[in-house]
Amino acid sequence: MIIQIIKLKSALTEQELLEKAHERSPKFRAIPGLVQKYYVKTGANGEYGGGYIWETEEALQEFRQSELAATIPQSYQLIEEPDIEILDVLFALRK
């Protein structure tokens, strides 16, 4: 299992960002290999993020090369490059 953490700064208001996220959520639900996605807000002003849980590295890479992934910067009006971290899960405490 792979965890992908993305932090981004958006020109959208929080309400606009939430509306956009809800509008796009069916497309994310349909991604093969995506176990879960968490939409998060950091403590920094205008900074939000996503926590993705992937079944495999291959599923993550397929998403990263997808049209849906390519639309993220424009859809969320990013004002700088997102911070992306990829983590391998060693083991889960709960299953």
Side-chain angles (χ1 to χ4, degrees):
M1 206 175 308
I2 306 294
I3 297 175
Q4 176 187 27
I5 300 170
I6 299 175
K7 291 184 205 172
L8 55 87
K9 291 193 179 184
S10 173
L12 300 175
T13 66
E14 184 172 333
Q15 184 61 38
E16 291 169 331
L17 186 129
L18 285 171
E19 288 171 8
K20 182 63 71 173
H22 283 289
E23 173 188 307
R24 293 167 55 89
S25 65
K27 294 177 183 177
F28 282 90
R29 283 189 192 100
I31 298 172
L34 179 60
V35 176
Q36 182 60 274
K37 179 179 179 187
Y38 296 96
Y39 295 83
V40 299
K41 176 178 159 181
T42 74
N45 189 30
E47 187 175 74
Y48 302 91
Y52 298 71
I53 311 297
W54 297 97
E55 289 177 353
T56 64
E57 174 74 22
E58 292 77 23
L60 165 60
Q61 293 308 322
E62 285 183 28
F63 167 70
R64 291 183 81 178
Q65 296 172 15
S66 71
E67 183 179 331
L68 181 59
T71 65
I72 290 172
Q74 183 179 357
S75 293
Y76 292 104
Q77 296 182 25
L78 301 191
I79 56 177
E80 59 186 44
E81 287 293 314
D83 179 25
I84 301 173
E85 191 170 357
I86 309 294
L87 309 163
D88 289 318
V89 175
L90 297 175
F91 72 93
L93 178 63
R94 295 187 175 94
K95 295 185 183 197

Coordinates of all heavy atoms in Angstrom, one line a residue:
M1 N 0.8 -1.2 0.0 CA 0.0 0.0 0.0 C 0.9 1.2 0.0 O 2.0 1.2 0.6 CB -0.9 0.0 1.2 CG -2.2 0.7 1.0 SD -3.4 0.7 2.3 CE -3.6 -1.0 2.6
I2 N 0.4 2.3 -0.7 CA 1.2 3.5 -0.8 C 0.3 4.7 -0.3 O -0.9 4.7 -0.5 CB 1.5 3.8 -2.3 CG1 2.2 2.6 -3.0 CG2 2.2 5.1 -2.5 CD1 3.6 2.4 -2.4
I3 N 0.9 5.6 0.4 CA 0.3 6.8 0.9 C 0.9 8.0 0.1 O 2.1 8.1 0.0 CB 0.4 7.1 2.4 CG1 -0.3 5.9 3.1 CG2 -0.2 8.4 2.8 CD1 -0.1 6.0 4.6
Q4 N 0.0 8.8 -0.5 CA 0.5 10.0 -1.2 C -0.1 11.2 -0.5 O -1.4 11.3 -0.2 CB 0.0 10.0 -2.6 CG 0.3 11.2 -3.4 CD -0.4 11.2 -4.8 OE1 -1.4 10.5 -5.0 NE2 0.2 11.9 -5.7
I5 N 0.7 12.2 -0.1 CA 0.2 13.4 0.6 C 0.6 14.6 -0.2 O 1.7 14.7 -0.6 CB 0.9 13.5 2.0 CG1 0.5 12.3 2.9 CG2 0.5 14.8 2.7 CD1 1.3 12.2 4.2
I6 N -0.5 15.3 -0.5 CA -0.3 16.5 -1.3 C -0.7 17.8 -0.5 O -1.8 17.8 0.0 CB -1.1 16.4 -2.6 CG1 -0.7 15.2 -3.5 CG2 -1.0 17.7 -3.4 CD1 -1.5 15.0 -4.7
K7 N 0.1 18.8 -0.5 CA -0.3 20.1 0.1 C -0.3 21.1 -1.1 O 0.7 21.1 -1.9 CB 0.7 20.5 1.1 CG 0.6 19.7 2.4 CD 1.5 20.2 3.4 CE 2.0 19.2 4.4 NZ 3.1 19.7 5.3
L8 N -1.3 22.0 -1.1 CA -1.4 22.9 -2.2 C -1.9 24.3 -1.7 O -2.6 24.3 -0.7 CB -2.2 22.4 -3.3 CG -3.6 21.9 -3.0 CD1 -4.6 23.1 -3.1 CD2 -4.0 20.8 -4.0
K9 N -1.5 25.3 -2.4 CA -2.1 26.6 -2.1 C -3.0 27.0 -3.2 O -2.6 27.0 -4.4 CB -1.0 27.7 -1.9 CG -0.2 27.4 -0.6 CD 0.7 28.5 -0.2 CE 1.4 28.1 1.1 NZ 2.2 29.2 1.6
S10 N -4.2 27.5 -2.9 CA -5.2 27.8 -3.9 C -5.6 29.2 -3.8 O -5.7 29.8 -2.7 CB -6.4 26.8 -3.7 OG -7.5 27.2 -4.5
A11 N -6.0 29.7 -5.0 CA -6.6 31.1 -5.0 C -8.1 31.1 -4.7 O -8.7 32.1 -4.5 CB -6.3 31.7 -6.4
L12 N -8.6 29.9 -4.6 CA -10.1 29.7 -4.3 C -10.3 30.0 -2.9 O -9.5 29.7 -2.0 CB -10.6 28.3 -4.7 CG -10.4 27.9 -6.1 CD1 -10.9 26.4 -6.3 CD2 -11.3 28.8 -7.0
T13 N -11.5 30.4 -2.5 CA -11.9 30.5 -1.1 C -12.2 29.1 -0.7 O -12.3 28.1 -1.5 CB -13.2 31.3 -1.0 OG1 -14.3 30.6 -1.6 CG2 -13.1 32.7 -1.5
E14 N -12.3 28.9 0.6 CA -12.5 27.5 1.1 C -13.9 27.0 0.6 O -13.9 25.8 0.2 CB -12.6 27.5 2.7 CG -12.7 26.1 3.2 CD -12.5 26.1 4.7 OE1 -11.8 26.9 5.3 OE2 -13.1 25.2 5.4
Q15 N -14.9 27.8 0.6 CA -16.2 27.4 0.0 C -16.1 27.0 -1.4 O -16.6 25.9 -1.8 CB -17.2 28.5 0.2 CG -18.6 28.0 -0.2 CD -19.2 26.9 0.6 OE1 -18.9 26.7 1.8 NE2 -19.8 26.0 -0.1
E16 N -15.4 27.8 -2.2 CA -15.2 27.4 -3.6 C -14.4 26.1 -3.8 O -14.8 25.3 -4.7 CB -14.5 28.6 -4.4 CG -15.3 29.8 -4.5 CD -14.5 31.0 -5.0 OE1 -13.2 31.1 -4.7 OE2 -15.0 31.9 -5.6
L17 N -13.4 26.0 -3.0 CA -12.6 24.8 -3.1 C -13.4 23.5 -2.7 O -13.4 22.5 -3.4 CB -11.4 24.9 -2.2 CG -10.4 23.7 -2.3 CD1 -9.0 24.3 -2.5 CD2 -10.5 22.8 -1.1
L18 N -14.2 23.6 -1.7 CA -15.1 22.5 -1.3 C -16.1 22.2 -2.4 O -16.4 21.0 -2.6 CB -15.8 22.8 0.0 CG -15.0 22.8 1.3 CD1 -15.7 23.3 2.5 CD2 -14.5 21.3 1.5
E19 N -16.7 23.2 -3.0 CA -17.7 22.9 -4.0 C -17.0 22.2 -5.2 O -17.5 21.3 -5.8 CB -18.3 24.3 -4.5 CG -19.3 24.8 -3.5 CD -19.7 26.3 -3.9 OE1 -19.4 26.7 -5.0 OE2 -20.4 26.9 -3.0
K20 N -15.8 22.7 -5.6 CA -15.0 22.0 -6.6 C -14.7 20.6 -6.3 O -14.8 19.7 -7.1 CB -13.8 22.8 -6.9 CG -12.9 22.3 -8.1 CD -13.6 22.3 -9.4 CE -13.8 23.7 -9.9 NZ -14.4 23.8 -11.3
A21 N -14.3 20.3 -5.1 CA -13.9 19.0 -4.6 C -15.1 18.1 -4.7 O -15.0 16.9 -5.1 CB -13.3 19.0 -3.2
H22 N -16.3 18.5 -4.2 CA -17.5 17.7 -4.2 C -17.9 17.4 -5.7 O -18.3 16.3 -6.0 CB -18.6 18.4 -3.5 CG -18.5 18.2 -2.0 ND1 -18.7 17.1 -1.3 CD2 -18.2 19.2 -1.0 CE1 -18.5 17.2 0.0 NE2 -18.2 18.5 0.2
E23 N -17.8 18.4 -6.5 CA -18.1 18.3 -7.9 C -17.3 17.2 -8.6 O -17.7 16.4 -9.5 CB -18.0 19.6 -8.6 CG -18.1 19.7 -10.1 CD -17.7 21.0 -10.7 OE1 -18.3 22.0 -10.2 OE2 -16.9 21.1 -11.6
R24 N -16.0 17.2 -8.3 CA -15.0 16.2 -8.9 C -15.0 14.9 -8.2 O -14.4 13.9 -8.7 CB -13.7 16.9 -8.9 CG -13.6 18.1 -9.8 CD -12.3 18.9 -9.6 NE -11.1 18.2 -9.7 CZ -10.4 18.0 -10.9 NH1 -10.9 18.5 -12.0 NH2 -9.3 17.3 -10.9
S25 N -15.5 14.7 -7.0 CA -15.4 13.5 -6.3 C -15.8 12.2 -7.0 O -15.2 11.2 -6.8 CB -16.0 13.6 -4.9 OG -17.4 13.8 -5.0
P26 N -16.9 12.2 -7.8 CA -17.2 11.0 -8.5 C -16.1 10.5 -9.4 O -15.9 9.3 -9.6 CB -18.5 11.4 -9.3 CG -19.1 12.5 -8.6 CD -17.9 13.3 -8.0
K27 N -15.4 11.4 -10.0 CA -14.2 11.0 -10.9 C -13.2 10.3 -10.1 O -12.5 9.4 -10.5 CB -13.7 12.2 -11.6 CG -14.6 12.8 -12.6 CD -14.1 14.1 -13.2 CE -15.1 14.7 -14.2 NZ -14.6 15.9 -14.8
F28 N -12.9 10.8 -8.8 CA -11.9 10.2 -8.0 C -12.4 8.8 -7.5 O -11.6 7.9 -7.3 CB -11.5 11.1 -6.8 CG -10.6 12.2 -7.3 CD1 -11.1 13.4 -7.8 CD2 -9.2 12.0 -7.3 CE1 -10.2 14.4 -8.2 CE2 -8.4 13.0 -7.7 CZ -8.9 14.2 -8.2
R29 N -13.7 8.7 -7.2 CA -14.3 7.4 -6.7 C -14.1 6.3 -7.8 O -14.0 5.2 -7.4 CB -15.7 7.5 -6.4 CG -16.0 8.2 -5.1 CD -17.5 8.1 -4.7 NE -17.8 9.0 -3.6 CZ -18.3 10.2 -3.7 NH1 -18.7 10.7 -4.9 NH2 -18.5 10.9 -2.6
A30 N -14.0 6.7 -9.0 CA -13.9 5.8 -10.1 C -12.5 5.3 -10.5 O -12.3 4.5 -11.3 CB -14.6 6.4 -11.4
I31 N -11.5 5.9 -9.8 CA -10.1 5.6 -10.1 C -9.8 4.2 -9.6 O -9.9 3.9 -8.4 CB -9.1 6.6 -9.4 CG1 -9.4 8.0 -10.0 CG2 -7.7 6.2 -9.7 CD1 -8.6 9.1 -9.2
P32 N -9.3 3.3 -10.5 CA -8.9 2.0 -10.1 C -7.7 2.0 -9.1 O -6.7 2.8 -9.4 CB -8.5 1.3 -11.4 CG -9.1 2.1 -12.5 CD -9.2 3.5 -11.9
G33 N -7.7 1.3 -8.0 CA -6.6 1.2 -7.1 C -6.6 2.3 -6.1 O -5.7 2.3 -5.2
L34 N -7.5 3.3 -6.1 CA -7.5 4.3 -5.1 C -8.4 3.8 -4.0 O -9.6 3.7 -4.1 CB -8.1 5.6 -5.6 CG -8.2 6.8 -4.6 CD1 -6.8 7.1 -4.0 CD2 -8.8 8.0 -5.2
V35 N -7.8 3.5 -2.8 CA -8.6 2.9 -1.7 C -9.4 4.0 -1.0 O -10.5 3.8 -0.6 CB -7.6 2.3 -0.7 CG1 -8.3 1.8 0.6 CG2 -6.8 1.1 -1.4
Q36 N -8.7 5.2 -0.8 CA -9.4 6.3 -0.1 C -8.7 7.6 -0.4 O -7.5 7.6 -0.7 CB -9.3 6.0 1.5 CG -10.0 7.0 2.3 CD -11.5 7.2 2.1 OE1 -11.8 8.0 1.2 NE2 -12.3 6.5 2.8
K37 N -9.4 8.7 -0.3 CA -8.9 10.0 -0.5 C -9.5 10.9 0.6 O -10.7 10.9 0.8 CB -9.2 10.6 -1.8 CG -8.6 12.0 -2.0 CD -8.9 12.7 -3.3 CE -8.3 14.1 -3.3 NZ -8.6 14.8 -4.5
Y38 N -8.6 11.5 1.4 CA -9.0 12.5 2.4 C -8.7 13.9 1.9 O -7.6 14.2 1.5 CB -8.2 12.2 3.7 CG -8.5 10.9 4.3 CD1 -7.7 9.8 4.0 CD2 -9.6 10.6 5.1 CE1 -7.9 8.5 4.6 CE2 -9.9 9.4 5.6 CZ -9.1 8.3 5.3 OH -9.3 7.1 5.9
Y39 N -9.7 14.7 2.0 CA -9.5 16.2 1.7 C -9.2 16.9 3.0 O -10.0 16.7 4.0 CB -10.8 16.7 1.1 CG -11.2 16.1 -0.3 CD1 -11.8 14.8 -0.3 CD2 -10.8 16.7 -1.5 CE1 -12.2 14.3 -1.5 CE2 -11.2 16.1 -2.7 CZ -11.8 14.9 -2.7 OH -12.1 14.3 -3.9
V40 N -8.1 17.6 3.0 CA -7.7 18.2 4.3 C -7.4 19.7 4.2 O -7.2 20.2 3.1 CB -6.5 17.5 4.9 CG1 -6.8 16.0 5.1 CG2 -5.3 17.6 3.9
K41 N -7.4 20.4 5.3 CA -7.1 21.8 5.4 C -5.9 21.8 6.4 O -6.0 21.3 7.5 CB -8.3 22.5 5.9 CG -8.0 24.0 6.1 CD -9.4 24.6 6.6 CE -9.2 25.9 7.3 NZ -10.4 26.4 7.8
T42 N -4.8 22.5 6.0 CA -3.7 22.7 6.9 C -3.9 23.9 7.8 O -4.9 24.6 7.6 CB -2.4 22.8 6.1 OG1 -2.3 24.1 5.5 CG2 -2.2 21.7 5.1
G43 N -3.0 24.2 8.7 CA -3.1 25.4 9.5 C -2.7 26.6 8.8 O -2.9 27.7 9.3
A44 N -2.0 26.5 7.6 CA -1.6 27.7 6.9 C -2.7 28.3 6.1 O -3.6 27.6 5.5 CB -0.5 27.3 5.9
N45 N -2.8 29.6 6.0 CA -3.9 30.3 5.3 C -3.9 29.9 3.8 O -2.8 30.0 3.1 CB -3.7 31.8 5.4 CG -4.8 32.6 4.9 OD1 -6.0 32.1 4.9 ND2 -4.6 33.8 4.4
G46 N -5.0 29.5 3.3 CA -5.1 29.1 1.9 C -4.5 27.8 1.5 O -4.3 27.5 0.3
E47 N -4.0 27.0 2.5 CA -3.3 25.8 2.1 C -4.3 24.6 2.5 O -4.8 24.5 3.6 CB -2.0 25.6 2.9 CG -1.2 24.4 2.4 CD 0.1 24.3 3.1 OE1 0.2 24.0 4.3 OE2 1.1 24.6 2.4
Y48 N -4.4 23.7 1.5 CA -5.3 22.5 1.6 C -4.5 21.3 1.1 O -3.3 21.5 0.7 CB -6.5 22.7 0.8 CG -7.3 23.9 1.2 CD1 -7.1 25.2 0.6 CD2 -8.2 23.9 2.2 CE1 -7.8 26.3 1.0 CE2 -8.9 25.0 2.6 CZ -8.7 26.2 2.0 OH -9.4 27.3 2.4
G49 N -5.1 20.2 1.1 CA -4.3 19.0 0.7 C -5.2 17.8 0.5 O -6.4 17.9 0.7
G50 N -4.5 16.7 0.2 CA -5.2 15.5 0.0 C -4.3 14.4 0.5 O -3.1 14.4 0.3
G51 N -4.9 13.4 1.2 CA -4.2 12.2 1.6 C -4.8 11.0 0.8 O -6.0 10.8 0.9
Y52 N -4.0 10.4 -0.1 CA -4.5 9.3 -0.9 C -3.9 8.0 -0.4 O -2.7 8.0 -0.1 CB -4.0 9.5 -2.4 CG -4.5 10.8 -3.1 CD1 -4.0 12.0 -2.8 CD2 -5.3 10.6 -4.2 CE1 -4.4 13.2 -3.5 CE2 -5.7 11.8 -4.9 CZ -5.3 13.0 -4.5 OH -5.6 14.1 -5.2
I53 N -4.7 7.0 -0.4 CA -4.3 5.7 -0.1 C -4.4 4.8 -1.3 O -5.5 4.7 -1.8 CB -5.1 5.0 1.1 CG1 -5.3 6.0 2.3 CG2 -4.5 3.7 1.5 CD1 -4.0 6.3 3.0
W54 N -3.3 4.3 -1.8 CA -3.3 3.5 -3.1 C -3.0 2.1 -2.8 O -2.2 1.8 -1.9 CB -2.2 4.1 -4.0 CG -2.4 5.5 -4.4 CD1 -1.9 6.6 -3.9 CD2 -3.3 5.9 -5.5 NE1 -2.4 7.7 -4.5 CE2 -3.2 7.3 -5.5 CE3 -4.1 5.2 -6.4 CZ2 -4.0 8.1 -6.5 CZ3 -4.8 6.0 -7.3 CH2 -4.7 7.4 -7.3
E55 N -3.6 1.2 -3.6 CA -3.4 -0.2 -3.4 C -1.9 -0.6 -3.8 O -1.3 -1.4 -3.2 CB -4.3 -1.1 -4.3 CG -5.7 -1.1 -3.8 CD -6.7 -1.8 -4.7 OE1 -6.3 -2.2 -5.8 OE2 -7.9 -2.0 -4.3
T56 N -1.5 0.1 -4.9 CA -0.2 -0.3 -5.5 C 0.5 1.0 -6.0 O -0.2 2.0 -6.3 CB -0.3 -1.3 -6.6 OG1 -1.0 -0.7 -7.7 CG2 -0.9 -2.6 -6.2
E57 N 1.8 0.9 -6.2 CA 2.6 2.0 -6.8 C 2.1 2.2 -8.3 O 2.0 3.3 -8.8 CB 4.1 1.6 -6.8 CG 5.0 2.6 -7.6 CD 5.2 3.9 -6.9 OE1 5.0 4.0 -5.7 OE2 5.5 4.9 -7.6
E58 N 1.7 1.1 -8.9 CA 1.3 1.1 -10.3 C 0.0 2.0 -10.4 O -0.2 2.8 -11.4 CB 1.1 -0.3 -10.9 CG 2.3 -1.0 -11.1 CD 2.9 -1.6 -9.8 OE1 2.2 -1.8 -8.8 OE2 4.1 -1.9 -9.8
A59 N -0.9 1.8 -9.5 CA -2.2 2.5 -9.5 C -1.9 4.0 -9.3 O -2.5 4.9 -10.0 CB -3.1 2.0 -8.4
L60 N -1.0 4.4 -8.4 CA -0.6 5.7 -8.2 C 0.0 6.3 -9.5 O -0.4 7.4 -9.9 CB 0.4 5.8 -7.1 CG 1.2 7.2 -7.0 CD1 0.3 8.3 -6.7 CD2 2.2 7.1 -5.9
Q61 N 0.9 5.6 -10.1 CA 1.6 6.1 -11.3 C 0.6 6.3 -12.5 O 0.7 7.3 -13.3 CB 2.7 5.2 -11.7 CG 3.9 5.2 -10.8 CD 4.4 6.6 -10.4 OE1 4.4 7.5 -11.3 NE2 4.7 6.8 -9.2
E62 N -0.4 5.4 -12.6 CA -1.4 5.5 -13.7 C -2.2 6.8 -13.4 O -2.5 7.5 -14.4 CB -2.3 4.3 -13.7 CG -1.6 3.1 -14.3 CD -2.6 1.9 -14.4 OE1 -3.8 2.1 -14.5 OE2 -2.0 0.8 -14.4
F63 N -2.6 7.1 -12.2 CA -3.3 8.3 -11.9 C -2.5 9.5 -12.2 O -2.9 10.5 -12.8 CB -3.7 8.3 -10.4 CG -4.2 9.7 -10.0 CD1 -5.4 10.2 -10.4 CD2 -3.4 10.5 -9.1 CE1 -5.8 11.5 -10.1 CE2 -3.8 11.7 -8.8 CZ -5.0 12.2 -9.2
R64 N -1.2 9.5 -11.8 CA -0.3 10.7 -12.0 C -0.2 11.0 -13.5 O 0.1 12.2 -13.8 CB 1.0 10.5 -11.4 CG 0.9 10.5 -9.8 CD 2.3 10.3 -9.2 NE 2.9 11.6 -9.2 CZ 4.1 11.9 -8.6 NH1 4.8 10.9 -8.1 NH2 4.6 13.1 -8.7
Q65 N -0.4 10.0 -14.4 CA -0.3 10.3 -15.8 C -1.6 10.5 -16.4 O -1.7 10.6 -17.7 CB 0.4 9.1 -16.4 CG 1.9 8.9 -16.0 CD 2.5 7.6 -16.4 OE1 2.0 7.0 -17.3 NE2 3.6 7.3 -15.8
S66 N -2.7 10.5 -15.6 CA -4.0 10.7 -16.2 C -4.4 12.1 -16.5 O -3.8 13.1 -16.0 CB -5.0 10.1 -15.2 OG -5.2 10.9 -14.0
E67 N -5.5 12.2 -17.3 CA -6.0 13.5 -17.6 C -6.6 14.2 -16.3 O -6.5 15.4 -16.1 CB -7.1 13.4 -18.6 CG -7.7 14.7 -19.0 CD -8.8 14.6 -20.1 OE1 -8.7 13.7 -20.9 OE2 -9.7 15.5 -20.1
L68 N -7.2 13.4 -15.4 CA -7.8 13.9 -14.2 C -6.7 14.6 -13.4 O -6.9 15.7 -12.9 CB -8.5 12.8 -13.4 CG -9.1 13.2 -12.1 CD1 -10.2 14.3 -12.3 CD2 -9.7 12.0 -11.4
A69 N -5.6 13.9 -13.2 CA -4.4 14.5 -12.4 C -4.0 15.8 -13.1 O -3.7 16.8 -12.4 CB -3.3 13.5 -12.3
A70 N -3.9 15.8 -14.4 CA -3.4 17.0 -15.1 C -4.4 18.2 -14.9 O -3.9 19.3 -15.0 CB -3.3 16.7 -16.6
T71 N -5.6 18.0 -14.6 CA -6.6 19.1 -14.4 C -6.6 19.7 -13.0 O -7.2 20.7 -12.8 CB -8.0 18.6 -14.7 OG1 -8.4 17.6 -13.8 CG2 -8.1 18.1 -16.2
I72 N -5.8 19.1 -12.1 CA -5.9 19.5 -10.7 C -5.4 21.0 -10.6 O -6.1 21.8 -10.0 CB -5.1 18.6 -9.8 CG1 -5.9 17.3 -9.6 CG2 -4.8 19.2 -8.4 CD1 -5.1 16.2 -8.9
P73 N -4.2 21.4 -11.1 CA -3.8 22.8 -11.0 C -4.8 23.8 -11.4 O -5.0 24.8 -10.7 CB -2.5 22.8 -11.8 CG -2.0 21.4 -11.8 CD -3.2 20.6 -11.9
Q74 N -5.4 23.6 -12.6 CA -6.3 24.6 -13.1 C -7.6 24.6 -12.3 O -8.2 25.6 -12.0 CB -6.6 24.4 -14.6 CG -7.5 25.4 -15.2 CD -7.8 25.2 -16.6 OE1 -7.2 24.3 -17.3 NE2 -8.6 26.0 -17.2
S75 N -8.1 23.4 -12.0 CA -9.4 23.2 -11.3 C -9.4 23.9 -9.9 O -10.3 24.5 -9.5 CB -9.8 21.7 -11.2 OG -10.0 21.2 -12.4
Y76 N -8.2 23.7 -9.2 CA -8.1 24.3 -7.9 C -7.4 25.6 -7.9 O -7.1 26.1 -6.8 CB -7.5 23.3 -6.9 CG -8.4 22.1 -6.7 CD1 -8.2 20.9 -7.3 CD2 -9.5 22.2 -5.9 CE1 -9.1 19.8 -7.1 CE2 -10.4 21.2 -5.7 CZ -10.2 20.0 -6.3 OH -11.0 18.9 -6.1
Q77 N -7.1 26.2 -9.0 CA -6.4 27.5 -9.2 C -5.2 27.6 -8.2 O -5.1 28.4 -7.4 CB -7.4 28.6 -8.9 CG -8.5 28.7 -9.9 CD -9.4 29.8 -9.7 OE1 -9.1 30.9 -9.1 NE2 -10.7 29.7 -10.1
L78 N -4.3 26.6 -8.5 CA -3.1 26.6 -7.6 C -2.2 27.8 -7.9 O -2.1 28.2 -9.1 CB -2.2 25.3 -7.9 CG -2.9 24.0 -7.7 CD1 -1.9 22.8 -7.7 CD2 -3.7 24.0 -6.4
I79 N -1.6 28.4 -6.9 CA -0.8 29.6 -7.0 C 0.7 29.2 -6.9 O 1.5 30.1 -7.1 CB -1.2 30.6 -6.0 CG1 -1.1 30.1 -4.6 CG2 -2.6 31.2 -6.3 CD1 -1.4 31.2 -3.5
E80 N 1.0 28.0 -6.7 CA 2.4 27.5 -6.7 C 2.4 26.0 -6.9 O 1.3 25.4 -6.8 CB 3.2 27.9 -5.5 CG 2.6 27.4 -4.2 CD 3.3 27.9 -3.0 OE1 3.6 29.1 -2.9 OE2 3.6 27.1 -2.1
E81 N 3.5 25.4 -7.2 CA 3.6 24.0 -7.3 C 3.3 23.3 -6.0 O 3.7 23.7 -4.9 CB 5.1 23.6 -7.7 CG 5.5 23.9 -9.1 CD 4.7 23.1 -10.1 OE1 4.6 21.9 -10.0 OE2 4.2 23.7 -11.1
P82 N 2.5 22.2 -6.1 CA 2.1 21.5 -4.9 C 3.3 20.8 -4.3 O 4.2 20.4 -5.0 CB 1.0 20.5 -5.3 CG 1.3 20.3 -6.8 CD 1.9 21.6 -7.3
D83 N 3.2 20.5 -3.0 CA 4.2 19.7 -2.3 C 3.7 18.3 -2.2 O 2.6 18.1 -1.7 CB 4.4 20.3 -0.9 CG 5.4 19.5 -0.1 OD1 6.3 18.8 -0.6 OD2 5.3 19.5 1.2
I84 N 4.4 17.3 -2.8 CA 3.9 16.0 -2.9 C 4.9 15.0 -2.3 O 6.1 15.1 -2.5 CB 3.7 15.5 -4.4 CG1 2.7 16.5 -5.1 CG2 3.3 14.1 -4.5 CD1 2.6 16.3 -6.6
E85 N 4.4 14.2 -1.4 CA 5.2 13.2 -0.7 C 4.6 11.8 -0.9 O 3.4 11.6 -0.8 CB 5.3 13.5 0.8 CG 6.3 12.8 1.5 CD 6.5 13.3 2.9 OE1 5.9 14.3 3.3 OE2 7.3 12.7 3.7
I86 N 5.4 10.8 -1.2 CA 5.0 9.4 -1.5 C 5.6 8.6 -0.4 O 6.8 8.6 -0.2 CB 5.4 8.9 -2.8 CG1 5.0 9.9 -4.0 CG2 4.9 7.5 -3.1 CD1 3.6 10.0 -4.2
L87 N 4.8 7.8 0.3 CA 5.3 6.9 1.4 C 4.8 5.5 1.2 O 3.7 5.2 0.8 CB 4.7 7.4 2.7 CG 4.8 8.9 3.0 CD1 3.9 9.4 4.1 CD2 6.3 9.2 3.4
D88 N 5.7 4.6 1.4 CA 5.4 3.1 1.4 C 4.9 2.7 2.8 O 5.6 3.1 3.8 CB 6.6 2.3 1.1 CG 7.1 2.4 -0.4 OD1 6.2 2.4 -1.3 OD2 8.3 2.5 -0.6
V89 N 3.8 2.0 2.9 CA 3.3 1.5 4.1 C 4.1 0.3 4.5 O 4.1 -0.7 3.7 CB 1.8 1.2 4.0 CG1 1.3 0.6 5.3 CG2 1.0 2.5 3.7
L90 N 4.7 0.3 5.7 CA 5.4 -0.9 6.2 C 4.4 -1.9 6.8 O 4.5 -3.1 6.5 CB 6.4 -0.5 7.2 CG 7.6 0.4 6.7 CD1 8.5 0.8 7.8 CD2 8.3 -0.3 5.6
F91 N 3.5 -1.4 7.6 CA 2.4 -2.3 8.1 C 1.3 -1.4 8.7 O 1.5 -0.2 9.0 CB 2.9 -3.3 9.2 CG 3.3 -2.7 10.5 CD1 2.3 -2.6 11.5 CD2 4.6 -2.2 10.7 CE1 2.7 -2.1 12.7 CE2 4.9 -1.7 11.9 CZ 4.0 -1.6 13.0
A92 N 0.1 -1.9 8.7 CA -1.0 -1.2 9.3 C -1.3 -1.7 10.7 O -1.3 -2.9 11.0 CB -2.3 -1.4 8.4
L93 N -1.6 -0.8 11.6 CA -2.0 -1.2 13.0 C -3.3 -1.9 13.0 O -3.5 -2.9 13.6 CB -2.1 0.1 13.8 CG -2.5 -0.1 15.3 CD1 -1.4 -1.0 16.0 CD2 -2.6 1.2 16.0
R94 N -4.3 -1.4 12.2 CA -5.6 -2.0 12.1 C -5.9 -2.3 10.6 O -5.4 -1.7 9.7 CB -6.7 -1.0 12.6 CG -6.6 -0.7 14.0 CD -7.7 0.2 14.5 NE -7.7 0.4 15.9 CZ -7.2 1.5 16.5 NH1 -6.6 2.4 15.7 NH2 -7.2 1.6 17.8
K95 N -6.6 -3.4 10.4 CA -7.0 -3.8 9.1 C -8.4 -3.7 8.8 O -9.2 -3.6 9.6 CB -6.5 -5.2 8.8 CG -5.0 -5.2 8.9 CD -4.5 -6.6 8.5 CE -3.0 -6.6 8.7 NZ -2.3 -7.6 8.1

